[in-house]
Structure formats: structure tokens, C-alpha cells
Amino acid sequence: MESSFIIGKFILAACVFGLSLFVAMYSTYFERKIAAFLQDRLGPNRAGPFGILQPLADGVKMFMKEEITPIVSNKWLFIFGPSLAMLTALMTGAVIPWAPTYVNGDTYFPLQVADINIGVLYLFGVVSIGVYGIMIGGWASNNKYSLMGALRASSQMISYELAMGLSIIALVMMTGTLSVREIASQQIGWHWNVLYQPLACLIFIICAFAETNRAPFDLPECETELVGGYHTEYSSMKLGFYLFAEYINMFISSAVISTLFFGGYNFPLIYNYVTDPFWVSVVGFAVMMSKTLFFIFLFMWVRWTLPRFRYDQLMHLGWKVLIPLSIINIVLTGIGMWLTDKI
Amino acid sequence: MQLTNRSKVVVKKEMTLMERLYLPAILAGMWITIKHFLRKKATINYPEVKRPIAQVYRGMHVLKRDEKGAERCTACGLCAVACPAEAITMIAEERKAGEENLYREEKYAATYEINMLRCIFCGDCEEACPKEAIFLTDRIVPSEFLRNDFVYGKDKLVESVSQRVDVSVRQTKEVANFKKDNKQQHNINDLKQFFKNALIKH
Ligand code: SF4
Ligand code: SF4
């Protein structure tokens, strides 16, 4: 491997890192703006024009806050929890193809940090480690509310991960690959997977909401019952890390949804007009980002529309509705493939 | 045991398949919220934009000076008597020789305090004042951190000689006539009440 390739990868990794942080930062701003707009308010508009500097102000505020570590807590785990949450949130961005592979004569550079052939599995693995951040934090706080929140988070994640994985199996059966880049490049033009696998897509989106602990599945941190859930005892930037990790997760989930089901960087007809390899990558990235941002908007839109589920309803939905549905979907996919002579 | 025949049997209706799918209801809800997205916002950007208020809005008080700059208040105490919230207190003092340019009448209020937390901005003080000394204005009482800061003394209430507070909208001829009209029931009653109270006290 040439050194330029490695350097390129490093730069790309740094870019993805920065992008995740930047998008997460501005998600907090847009979350508040969208919430306000949906409720006929104006939202933050004091820091800079339209309040555009609000995330910076929030960040400074977070750092300046008094940092409290409860005496009864387990110091190391208490710090480890938010760090792990943040770490895993940032790791997931590695396998997402942000733009079509840059091909110019002999130069070949995939705009994806790591093109591993089991990308989908990697995503699932890292996401399920993410729950440890919440669990450890909740456990280390030595607080009943935190522990309840952590318990809820872990059982919720386990239940929904099953349905999520099963919904992906149908997709994997159809595409015949576990590589995220392959899946993205197969959906060229209008061949978006959502058109072939609408049910899987729906299940996946619902599970993504649950996985990121967003409303209507935000039971681990529901204020009405658990004060703050797993982050009750957290303050200052440690709390900031948890909240930030949630936003990064939301960003990555949106990116994954758009890659797996909505064509990723593909958009019909666009490559008939754009042929210059540089612009192909730029346009691909723009398409990918706009899809991702739309799903972030969807996340927020749903959050400010739907009330929270009750815990038994959540479990009911996960185990008795989504899992059977995704199994049925697998069977249907199999039958469909058999009928169309794909196997 | 049946006590009345007004009781109703509640039926827990089974949800139809459509309702149990939740998705139509969710989409309907999202449609409602997105309609609000583009609506005109109810927020008023306060310090820059102010809510329109009536011309005779009753806000923070002002103690007026006369044309020559002398304080009009004579510490008669009628405002304090009229005040339903008992927000006004004052200490009267006799005017010394040479203070004619400061105080219009021979007696004046050495201290005059309104507790803005007690005040209900009813405007009765303004109505009671025989000297046209106290008026409510369209200024808003600002928020403070301490309760004590809401007790406004003369330093905050008396208008400055150079920057007069315009109360002409409240000081119309009709208002003045109405105030001075002794045939008006409210004036007679107030006077009666005032003397009665004074008699009881002494
Ligand atoms: S406005 Fe009413 S409550 Fe306030 S000081 Fe005057 S009389 Fe009292
Ligand atoms: S403000 Fe008017 S009513 Fe009150 S004490 Fe002064 S003169 Fe009398």
C-alpha cells in the first residue's frame, strides 16, 4: 500500500471524526429550533444571527459547570461510562461510504474510512457495545434512578437489536453481501432497497429510534419517571458527552438508514450529467448528506410529535410485533427470491 | 348497591386493526406538527419588539413635579388609604423656609415608598390623589433578584427635572373634572370613609 493512500485514509478519518462532531453539535441547535418551530415558538435566537452560535455557548457552559462525582460512586467506572458512550458513537462512522469511490485513471480512493467486507456486522457490534457506556454509567452512579435507567436501556437495546438484525437479514439475503459499500453501490439509480424491502426498512427505522434512545423510546432517560435516567448523577462535560453521544448516534443512524435503504450516495440520473471524477464524489457526498440530514430531521420531527411509550408497551412492540414481523419478512423475501429465480 | 341511575357502563372498546397499526395515527400526528412548522410564531422578541399596550396602560408609578420643578406630593396619605394592596407608605415633613422651589406645598413626603411586589397596578392611588402627584405610566417594573429591591423609594419614583415623564394621556381635562367633582358618589364615599377612619384612629 502506498503511503499516500494511508495518509489519505488518515485525513478521511479525521474528516469523518470532525463531521460527526460538527453535525452532532449543530443537531443540538436544530433540535431546539425544530422543537420550537413545531410548537409555534422561535427557539434560540440570541447567540449570533438566528442563534447560530448557540452550540458554542452551550459547549462553554457545559465546560464551566461544576463537576460533581458522587462520593458513593465508583470513580473510574463513573468516568469510563461517558467515555465509552462517546467512543463507540464515533467508531460507527468508519464503515459508512460517504461518497462514491474516487476513480481517476489509476488513482483509486474509496471515500470510506474502512471498507471491511463485514461492515454491517461491525456496525451492529459497535452499536451494541454502546449500551455498555450507558449501563456502566448508570451502575457506577450508585443511584436508583440511574440504575433503573441503565436497566431499561440495556433491555431495550437488546430487544430492539434482535428485530433490527433480523430486518437486516432480509436485506443481506437480497443483496448477498455484508459490505456496506457494496450495498450502497448496488442501489444505483432508482434501485433503492426501500422499494424492495419496505417492511424491513420500516422495522429498521423503528429499531433505530429505540437504539438511539430517542422519543418515543426515550425510556432510559425519561424525566417524568426517572429524573434523568442513567445520567441523573452526571454533570458538566460528562453529561455533555452522553448527550453528545446520543446526537452522534442519531447522525450515524441516519447515515446508516440512508445507506442501507435509501440509496446512500446514489441519486437517479445525476451521474448522467456529472462525469468529472472529482465532482462525482462531491455530488455523491452532497446527496448522501442531504438524505442523512433529512433522517435527522425525521428523528426530531417524531420526537416532538409522539408521546413516550409505556415500558410494557415498548417490550410488547419489540418482542411480539417487530420480531415476528421481521421473521415473516425474511420468509417473504426467501419466497420472493425463489419465485424470481434469484437462488 | 345502586345509588343513582346516572352511572354509565364503560366499555373498553377493542381497537380495530387500523388503530392497532398505530402508523396512520402517527402519520396524522406528524402532519399536524409539520403544519405548525411554517405557521406564524407566537413569540414576541421582547426587548426589541414590544407587545402593543393600551394608551392608558397601568405600569410603574411616577411622582410628578410641577412646571417649576417642585414636587407636587403633599404627603396627604390619600393614595395610601386608597390602595387596596397597602403598598404605599410615606413619612411627611414640614417644608422649611427656602425649600419652596423643591416642594410645592407646605408639607411634603420625606420618604415615599411603593412596594412593587404588593402593588396590583389598579390605579386607585392615581385616582385618589388630589394634587395630581402620582400617576401610573406605561413603563414596566424590571425584575430584580432581591425582594427589597422592589420597594421603590423617591429616588426611583420622582421624575427628574430634566427628563419629565409624559402623562398627558391620563391627565385629560375630563379626568381632572371627574376627580374634582364632589357630587360624584365615589368622592363623597371616599371622603366619608377617610374621616371616619381618622376619627376611629384618634
Ligand atoms: S396602583 Fe393600586 S395597588 Fe398599586 S400602589 Fe396604587 S393603589 Fe396601591
Ligand atoms: S401622592 Fe397624592 S395622594 Fe399620595 S400622598 Fe402625595 S399628594 Fe397625597
Side-chain angles (χ1 to χ4, degrees):
Chain A
M1 224 185 281
E2 334 135 43
S3 59
S4 67
F5 188 79
I6 294 174
I7 292 170
K9 282 285 180 194
F10 264 111
I11 294 174
L12 192 66
C15 285
V16 171
F17 180 73
L19 184 76
S20 309
L21 289 182
F22 181 78
V23 172
M25 196 165 106
Y26 270 91
S27 297
T28 63
Y29 166 74
F30 280 106
E31 171 100 63
R32 293 166 70 177
K33 269 290 187 204
I34 287 169
F37 272 53
L38 293 177
Q39 296 171 347
D40 292 346
R41 298 183 283 115
L42 286 176
N45 62 354
R46 291 289 138 151
F50 304 105
I52 206 84
L53 299 177
Q54 188 67 37
L56 291 180
D58 282 342
V60 171
K61 183 203 77 175
M62 280 289 188
F63 273 113
M64 304 302 270
K65 287 257 168 162
E66 186 186 358
E67 194 157 351
I68 299 168
T69 314
I71 294 178
V72 286
S73 71
N74 183 328
K75 299 268 166 346
W76 292 113
L77 289 184
F78 195 71
I79 298 170
F80 188 55
S83 321
L84 189 65
M86 194 73 177
L87 181 77
T88 50
L90 283 168
M91 268 163 68
T92 33
V95 290
I96 292 167
W98 297 100
T101 307
Y102 178 80
V103 189
N104 191 5
D106 288 344
T107 0
Y108 166 89
F109 190 74
L111 290 163
Q112 178 189 23
V113 176
D115 178 18
I116 41 180
N117 54 5
I118 48 150
V120 177
L121 283 187
Y122 170 85
L123 272 179
F124 275 87
V126 173
V127 165
S128 36
I129 295 174
V131 73
Y132 284 97
I134 293 177
M135 262 176 73
I136 289 172
W139 171 258
S141 303
N142 206 347
N143 172 316
K144 290 181 193 116
Y145 292 118
S146 305
L147 189 60
M148 283 293 281
L151 272 177
R152 282 183 176 191
S154 40
S155 58
Q156 171 178 330
M157 288 232 179
I158 290 169
S159 329
Y160 279 78
E161 217 149 76
L162 274 179
M164 199 180 207
L166 288 174
S167 74
I168 283 295
I169 285 182
L171 187 73
V172 171
M173 278 165 69
M174 222 184 64
T175 54
T177 173
L178 277 171
S179 150
V180 186
R181 191 180 56 79
E182 284 265 307
I183 294 178
S185 55
Q186 275 177 15
Q187 307 178 58
I188 200 144
W190 265 122
H191 297 285
W192 294 3
N193 282 333
V194 62
L195 302 176
Y196 303 99
Q197 290 286 353
L199 189 58
C201 176
L202 186 68
I203 295 170
F204 190 86
I205 291 178
I206 294 174
C207 294
F209 276 92
E211 287 280 302
T212 47
N213 292 328
R214 297 276 306 182
F217 304 108
D218 57 345
L219 286 125
E221 47 187 295
C222 65
E223 302 87 3
T224 35
E225 295 161 28
L226 296 181
V227 191
Y230 59 89
H231 57 56
T232 305
E233 294 287 354
Y234 281 89
S235 56
S236 184
M237 207 51 207
K238 291 212 275 296
L239 173 68
F241 262 36
Y242 269 129
L243 303 183
F244 221 67
E246 188 186 312
Y247 281 101
I248 297 175
N249 276 334
M250 190 167 87
F251 169 55
I252 300 293
S253 302
S254 306
V256 171
I257 294 172
S258 10
T259 317
L260 292 186
F261 289 99
F262 289 86
Y265 46 72
N266 289 306
F267 199 78
L269 303 181
I270 239 171
Y271 300 116
N272 296 0
Y273 302 106
V274 196
T275 42
D276 182 67
F278 175 71
W279 285 107
V280 163
S281 298
V282 170
V283 169
F285 179 70
V287 168
M288 173 73 187
M289 270 320 268
S290 41
K291 283 175 190 170
T292 309
L293 292 182
F294 170 76
F295 281 104
I296 292 181
F297 176 72
L298 184 79
F299 267 85
M300 293 175 180
W301 183 8
V302 167
R303 166 162 180 194
W304 295 102
T305 303
L306 299 184
R308 186 181 298 127
F309 272 75
R310 216 172 49 214
Y311 199 65
D312 60 316
Q313 290 171 333
L314 175 93
M315 283 295 145
H316 180 272
L317 181 70
W319 287 98
K320 294 201 197 152
V321 180
L322 292 183
I323 291 180
L325 263 185
S326 37
I327 292 173
I328 291 174
N329 191 40
I330 292 174
V331 174
L332 286 181
T333 310
I335 295 173
M337 285 170 68
W338 179 55
L339 289 181
T340 51
D341 288 332
K342 285 245 181 72
I343 18 177
Chain B
M1 184 177 61
Q2 192 168 9
L3 295 173
T4 64
N5 52 4
R6 280 178 302 181
S7 63
K8 268 192 194 145
V9 181
V10 182
V11 275
K12 189 176 171 214
K13 189 171 76 56
E14 276 293 313
M15 285 200 285
T16 61
L17 180 71
M18 222 30 194
E19 283 170 331
R20 261 188 296 148
L21 270 180
Y22 288 123
L23 285 178
I26 287 174
L27 290 181
M30 288 172 71
W31 174 240
I32 290 175
T33 43
I34 203 70
K35 273 195 296 188
H36 280 262
F37 195 84
L38 299 172
R39 264 210 202 148
K40 201 174 162 299
K41 306 300 170 212
T43 315
I44 296 170
N45 270 323
Y46 168 58
E48 295 100 44
V49 187
K50 293 212 170 81
R51 192 184 282 278
I53 54 173
Q55 245 191 343
V56 288
Y57 181 85
R58 299 195 297 264
M60 190 170 115
H61 310 65
V62 62
L63 282 172
K64 293 292 287 177
R65 293 175 186 274
D66 67 3
E67 308 76 46
K68 294 192 207 96
E71 285 174 25
R72 300 181 71 107
C73 174
T74 182
C76 66
L78 280 174
C79 49
V81 171
C83 179
E86 303 192 344
I88 305 179
T89 54
M90 73 195 73
I91 295 172
E93 202 123 312
E94 215 169 311
R95 184 179 69 186
K96 312 241 168 23
E99 287 180 336
E100 285 82 3
N101 57 333
L102 291 180
Y103 312 110
R104 201 171 73 141
E105 314 285 337
E106 284 153 21
K107 185 169 145 252
Y108 70 94
T111 61
Y112 188 104
E113 287 179 344
I114 301 181
N115 186 336
M116 292 298 178
L117 288 178
R118 297 199 69 131
C119 176
I120 55 172
F121 301 98
C122 61
D124 278 5
C125 45
E126 173 182 344
E127 211 161 298
C129 181
K131 297 290 177 189
E132 311 266 289
I134 191 160
F135 287 94
L136 272 64
T137 63
D138 57 4
R139 295 172 302 170
I140 288 165
V141 176
S143 41
E144 308 276 0
F145 287 106
L146 301 174
R147 277 164 185 259
N148 262 349
D149 293 345
F150 281 102
V151 180
Y152 279 25
K154 274 176 79 174
D155 53 328
K156 285 189 187 163
L157 291 171
V158 181
E159 64 178 348
S160 77
V161 186
S162 48
Q163 282 177 309
R164 298 303 186 92
V165 179
D166 183 27
V167 289
S168 49
V169 272
R170 322 178 65 89
Q171 217 175 9
T172 56
K173 206 175 270 172
E174 290 79 16
V175 173
N177 286 341
F178 177 75
K179 269 190 159 180
K180 290 186 185 124
D181 187 359
N182 279 335
K183 282 189 290 269
Q184 286 288 340
Q185 198 57 43
H186 70 274
N187 277 346
I188 298 171
N189 280 350
D190 276 1
L191 281 178
K192 271 187 194 161
Q193 191 63 38
F194 180 66
F195 286 123
K196 221 187 260 171
N197 283 351
L199 276 178
I200 292 166
K201 267 184 195 157
H202 296 290

